[in-house]
């Protein structure tokens, strides 16, 4: 049986400073429109949890879903353009 103490140096070789790297921050910034669209959809859905959705609520949810889908499409197309390949 191996002792875990022998592997500790490998596991803790690079200390985690708790801050995201520049690459992670750039990825978050690129995905921010999708994050905001998802939040808007959740807000629209949460408003109707404890009541029957009105016609206005249903339109708001549909509009938020379309915004999420359009934003996802745009991100995928941008990634395909940057990588130089077709999706």
């Amino acid at each position: 049986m191996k002792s875990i103490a022998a592997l500790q140096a490998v596991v803790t070789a690079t200390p985690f400073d708790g801050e995201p790297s520049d690459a992670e921050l750039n990825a978050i910034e690129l995905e921010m429109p999708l994050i905001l669209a998802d939040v808007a959809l959740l807000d629209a859905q949460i408003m109707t949890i404890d009541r029957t959705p009105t016609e206005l609520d249903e339109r708001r949810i549909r509009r938020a879903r379309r915004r999420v889908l359009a934003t996802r499409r745009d991100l995928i197309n941008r990634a395909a353009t940057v990588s130089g390949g077709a999706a």
Side-chain angles (χ1 to χ4, degrees), residues 48-66:
T48 62
I49 283 179
D50 60 346
R51 62 184 167 92
T52 304
T54 63
E55 184 179 335
L56 180 62
D57 293 329
E58 290 173 0
R59 278 192 267 164
R60 184 177 293 128
I61 291 170
R62 273 196 313 269
R63 193 174 322 122
R65 281 187 184 137
R66 286 188 201 125

Side-chain angles (χ1 to χ4, degrees), residues 73-87:
R73 180 199 61 218
D74 293 344
L75 284 174
I76 290 170
N77 287 340
R78 186 179 324 155
T81 302
V82 169
S83 67

Side-chain angles (χ1 to χ4, degrees), residues 16-63:
F16 179 67
D17 64 358
E19 296 294 324
S21 67
D22 289 340
E24 291 170 330
L25 289 174
N26 289 337
I28 292 170
E29 186 175 336
L30 286 174
E31 292 180 9
M32 189 55 71
L34 179 59
I35 293 168
L36 295 175
D38 281 333
V39 168
L41 176 58
L42 284 172
D43 285 343
Q45 291 171 333
I46 288 170
M47 288 184 352
T48 62
I49 283 179
D50 60 346
R51 62 184 167 92
T52 304
T54 63
E55 184 179 335
L56 180 62
D57 293 329
E58 290 173 0
R59 278 192 267 164
R60 184 177 293 128
I61 291 170
R62 273 196 313 269
R63 193 174 322 122

